[in-house]
């Protein structure tokens, strides 16, 4: 196995140890970024006359060739090296000979690995943001298409008040928008160049870190070499933001699962996003939603894992930190796939509008409105609440729908009731009365759609 060290060792490393310490099995994912970083570093070494121009050119060309070969599929990273940095250097050595050894001047694997991770994460954050936007666009599209459909809104999973289906969907739009903002904010902290911190204390060579930052498109240069090589906050923060995205996806999945059950029957998922049962021929299962809900657990686990890896490390680099990569890579893959699948599932879903609205019949979800009616006539809310509670009890006893009571029946409970009470209790009346900013009336949901459209334009 290739090693970047060995001079001070008398004995060969045990194969068990090499296998244990090696990270090539997973950090090969960073190869592209490792080479990009090395090219920028070599350019800087040349510019600052730390290595000779012709030597630097050999290194830069060699690295560029390796990158091309990888991109065209002619070269793949094997598992014969300790890590991705060692692999790249050994490839370079094979291509251009011993001059390859000059590349590692004024840097260490400690600043190199966190550079690779930052380059990787910057790219992946952009991809995830785009996927979030795609999902938000679909949520908005479906909200616009079905504007006007009324469904029960829930608290405690019990019918609470009628709401617009679009209002409910837009709630997720705004949740995902916060996720997007969190990633935008995180990006600022990922977008910092650590290279040039070397092992931990900086370097005695006259390097130009600003030059490298510009080459690699970083907005900032890290101000403290000790912090730079020991910092994994940006990965923990990413995992935390990812956990929140999964939380939102998982809640939406849960609702999709409920809504497509026989009991709710509010939606039917498209065949293309379901699977069947090997034994029960009638089954069509909401697997995509279940898997998103299930995978949420593992993303939470990754966040906990890295918090624990980092929690008691003395400054600066410790090999424990190698454990940061698998949770990060897995989280990126899970998030990207889950967002894509959710977008596909929502864009093909069949909405059973009548079932949604029919489920409101006789469910007493209009009683808050009835209490408010009394309050508007001068009765204290507490008193109104009690009166309406008695009306509910009466309806349950008599097996009646509250919206079917006549004025006389209402008057039996309080003389304040007038015939205008008969025109406030339909689901549409109740929905449209909720006209406060952010509320569920058609007017306010239309405004909310406009706001969502504007949000999408600006992000
Ligand atoms: N494979 C290591 C990691 O992922 C790279 C840094 C190694 N540095 C060291 N001093 N051994 O963390």
């Amino acid at each position: 196995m290739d090693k970047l060290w060995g001079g001070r060792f008398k004995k060969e490393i045990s194969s068990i140890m090499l296998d244990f310490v090696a990270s090539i099995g997973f950090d090969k994912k960073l190869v592209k970024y490792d080479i990009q970083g090395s090219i920028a570093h070599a350019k800087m070494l040349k510019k600052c006359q730390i290595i000779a121009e012709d030597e630097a050119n050999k290194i830069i060309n060699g690295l560029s060739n390796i990158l091309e070969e990888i991109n065209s599929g002619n070269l793949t990273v094997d598992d014969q090296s300790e890590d991705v940095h060692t692999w790249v250097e050994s490839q370079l050595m094979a291509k251009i000979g011993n001059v390859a050894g000059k590349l590692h001047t004024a840097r260490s694997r400690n600043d190199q690995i966190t550079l690779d991770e930052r380059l990787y994460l910057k790219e992946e954050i952009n991809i995830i943001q785009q996927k979030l936007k795609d999902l938000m666009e679909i949520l908005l599209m479906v909200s616009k298409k079905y504007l006007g459909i009324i469904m029960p809104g829930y608290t405690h999973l019990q019918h609470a008040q009628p709401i617009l289906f679009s209002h409910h969907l837009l709630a997720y739009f705004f949740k995902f928008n916060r996720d997007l903002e969190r990633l935008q904010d995180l990006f600022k902290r990922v977008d910092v160049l650590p290279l040039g911190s070397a092992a931990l204390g900086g370097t005695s060579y006259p390097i130009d870190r600003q030059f490298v930052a510009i080459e690699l498109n970083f907005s900032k240069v890290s101000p403290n070499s000790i912090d730079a090589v020991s910092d994994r906050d940006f990965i923990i923060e990413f995992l935390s933001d990812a956990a929140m995205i999964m939380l939102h996806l998982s809640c939406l999945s849960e609702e999709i699962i409920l809504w497509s059950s026989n009991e709710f029957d509010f939606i039917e998922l498209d065949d293309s996003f379901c699977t069947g049962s090997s034994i029960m021929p009638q089954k069509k299962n909401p697997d995509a939603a279940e898997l998103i809900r299930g995978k949420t657990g593992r993303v939470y686990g990754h966040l906990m894992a890295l918090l624990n890896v980092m929690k008691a490390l003395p400054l600066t680099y410790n090999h424990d930190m190698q454990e940061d990569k698998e949770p990060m890579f897995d989280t990126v893959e899970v998030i990207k796939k889950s967002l894509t699948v959710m977008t596909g599932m929502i864009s093909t879903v069949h909405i059973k509008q009548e079932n949604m609205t029919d489920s409101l019949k006789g469910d007493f979800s209009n009683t808050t409105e009835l209490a408010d009616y009394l309050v508007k006539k001068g009765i204290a809310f507490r008193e109104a609440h009690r009166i309406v509670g008695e009306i509910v009890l009466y309806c349950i006893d008599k097996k009646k729908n509250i919206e079917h009571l006549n004025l006389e029946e209402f008057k039996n409970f309080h003389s304040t009731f007038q015939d205008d009470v008969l025109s406030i209790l339909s689901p549409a009346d109740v929905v449209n009365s909720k006209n406060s900013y952010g509320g569920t009336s058609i007017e306010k949901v239309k405004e909310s759609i406009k706001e969502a459209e504007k949000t999408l334009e600006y992000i």
Side-chain angles (χ1 to χ4, degrees):
M1 189 179 278
D2 302 316
K3 297 192 292 299
L4 291 181
W5 41 270
R8 66 96 62 221
F9 287 79
K10 285 192 194 145
K11 274 170 84 179
E12 264 304 303
I13 186 170
S14 138
S15 59
I16 307 169
M17 172 58 184
L18 255 187
D19 178 56
F20 191 60
V21 83
S23 53
I24 189 81
F26 44 88
D27 68 13
K28 58 176 144 192
K29 213 182 180 103
L30 297 173
V31 67
K32 192 173 105 186
Y33 310 101
D34 199 71
I35 298 174
Q36 279 170 11
S38 291
I39 291 175
H41 183 65
K43 284 185 183 168
M44 185 278 292
L45 292 176
K46 173 167 91 168
K47 178 193 161 265
C48 298
Q49 297 173 357
I50 297 169
I51 59 175
E53 193 169 338
D54 60 327
E55 291 174 334
N57 288 342
K58 269 190 201 148
I59 292 173
I60 294 162
N61 290 338
L63 288 168
S64 304
N65 290 342
I66 296 170
L67 192 55
E68 269 165 35
E69 283 175 45
I70 292 172
N71 286 340
S72 61
N74 293 330
L75 182 65
T76 44
V77 185
D78 58 46
D79 286 354
Q80 293 312 302
S81 305
E82 182 187 330
D83 55 27
V84 67
H85 324 295
T86 319
W87 184 84
V88 171
E89 206 174 303
S90 67
Q91 291 298 312
L92 191 61
M93 195 73 83
K95 254 195 197 329
I96 65 169
N98 278 343
V99 64
K102 296 211 170 184
L103 172 62
H104 212 55
T105 313
R107 82 172 180 189
S108 149
R109 280 185 293 173
N110 297 352
D111 54 348
Q112 200 179 343
I113 184 60
T114 171
L115 169 74
D116 294 2
E117 291 178 317
R118 285 172 184 273
L119 286 169
Y120 162 83
L121 212 48
K122 275 175 65 174
E123 215 166 280
E124 294 296 348
I125 288 172
N126 281 331
I127 297 171
I128 293 170
Q129 282 181 318
Q130 188 51 53
K131 287 186 181 292
L132 269 170
K133 280 184 220 168
D134 294 345
L135 175 56
M136 288 163 71
E137 243 158 54
I138 287 297
L139 286 169
L140 182 58
M141 207 186 83
V142 178
S143 304
K144 280 159 83 173
K145 183 166 167 197
Y146 293 101
L147 184 63
I149 295 174
I150 300 176
M151 67 178 286
Y154 295 82
T155 62
H156 312 270
L157 201 59
Q158 307 280 325
H159 285 206
Q161 293 176 353
I163 54 166
L164 287 186
F165 171 63
S166 306
H167 194 209
H168 191 111
L169 270 197
L170 285 170
Y172 284 102
F173 177 98
F174 291 106
K175 288 178 197 297
F176 290 123
N177 188 43
R178 285 196 298 278
D179 292 333
L180 199 63
E181 286 173 355
R182 265 186 281 274
L183 289 179
Q184 277 163 356
D185 199 57
L186 161 69
F187 192 88
K188 291 185 264 174
R189 285 176 288 285
V190 184
D191 193 17
V192 180
L193 176 89
L195 204 68
S197 303
L200 76 161
T203 177
S204 51
Y205 296 95
I207 59 171
D208 183 347
R209 299 188 65 203
Q210 200 55 50
F211 173 88
V212 181
I214 292 166
E215 278 292 311
L216 293 173
N217 206 16
F218 277 100
S219 307
K220 275 193 198 155
V221 173
S222 62
N224 180 307
S225 60
I226 291 178
D227 178 37
V229 294
S230 60
D231 172 27
R232 293 295 183 274
D233 296 4
F234 66 100
I235 303 181
I236 295 176
E237 205 179 330
F238 167 70
L239 295 178
S240 160
D241 292 355
M244 194 76 91
I245 296 173
M246 289 309 291
L247 182 154
H248 293 146
L249 285 173
S250 183
C251 290
L252 182 52
S253 296
E254 172 72 11
E255 301 212 277
I256 287 171
I257 294 162
L258 286 172
W259 291 352
S260 57
S261 68
N262 286 346
E263 285 68 22
F264 278 77
D265 203 20
F266 285 179
I267 58 171
E268 185 179 345
L269 290 173
D270 195 66
D271 283 3
S272 54
F273 282 91
C274 296
T275 70
S277 154
S278 61
I279 175 168
M280 297 164 283
Q282 87 284 10
K283 290 300 289 291
K284 181 170 151 185
N285 298 325
D287 312 72
E290 289 171 315
L291 277 168
I292 292 172
R293 191 177 57 184
K295 285 174 192 292
T296 302
R298 103 183 198 207
V299 171
Y300 291 0
H302 293 328
L303 170 62
M304 283 306 127
L306 194 55
L307 280 168
N308 275 297
V309 166
M310 298 302 295
K311 83 175 180 16
L313 296 187
L315 298 179
T316 53
Y317 179 82
N318 299 271
H319 222 146
D320 314 45
M321 289 154 74
Q322 182 164 293
E323 291 295 308
D324 63 353
K325 274 166 276 307
E326 287 159 295
M328 174 174 71
F329 293 152
D330 187 61
T331 299
V332 165
E333 294 312 315
V334 169
I335 287 275
K336 287 198 296 190
K337 278 193 192 144
S338 302
L339 285 169
T340 307
V341 166
M342 182 57 88
T343 303
M345 201 163 35
I346 304 268
S347 64
T348 53
V349 73
H350 170 63
I351 309 294
K352 298 183 169 176
Q353 339 187 355
E354 270 159 40
N355 291 357
M356 287 187 178
T357 312
D358 284 353
S359 75
L360 291 160
K361 284 186 184 144
D363 71 347
F364 299 110
S365 60
N366 47 9
T367 55
T368 316
E369 197 57 29
L370 195 57
D372 287 342
Y373 168 90
L374 290 173
V375 170
K376 282 171 199 155
K377 305 256 179 201
I379 293 172
F381 187 80
R382 272 299 134 245
E383 170 73 353
H385 189 284
R386 188 190 54 76
I387 296 165
V388 176
E390 285 168 4
I391 298 176
V392 170
L393 208 56
Y394 168 82
C395 287
I396 293 171
D397 268 2
K398 301 273 181 253
K399 295 195 170 37
K400 287 189 171 198
N401 284 357
I402 204 160
E403 52 271 37
H404 295 155
L405 298 186
N406 58 38
L407 183 57
E408 215 172 298
E409 286 172 299
F410 278 119
K411 276 194 175 296
N412 283 340
F413 289 92
H414 205 280
S415 57
T416 306
F417 283 113
Q418 308 286 319
D419 58 2
D420 54 353
V421 71
L422 304 175
S423 59
I424 59 158
L425 293 177
S426 77
D429 291 329
V430 175
V431 160
N432 284 323
S433 73
K434 302 280 187 297
N435 207 28
S436 52
Y437 176 75
T440 201
S441 70
I442 276 265
E443 192 186 320
K444 286 297 175 282
V445 172
K446 276 186 184 159
E447 282 173 25
S448 181
I449 285 173
K450 286 231 170 67
E451 202 170 317
E453 280 170 342
K454 238 191 260 159
T455 305
L456 274 182
E457 266 171 42
Y458 286 117
I459 52 182

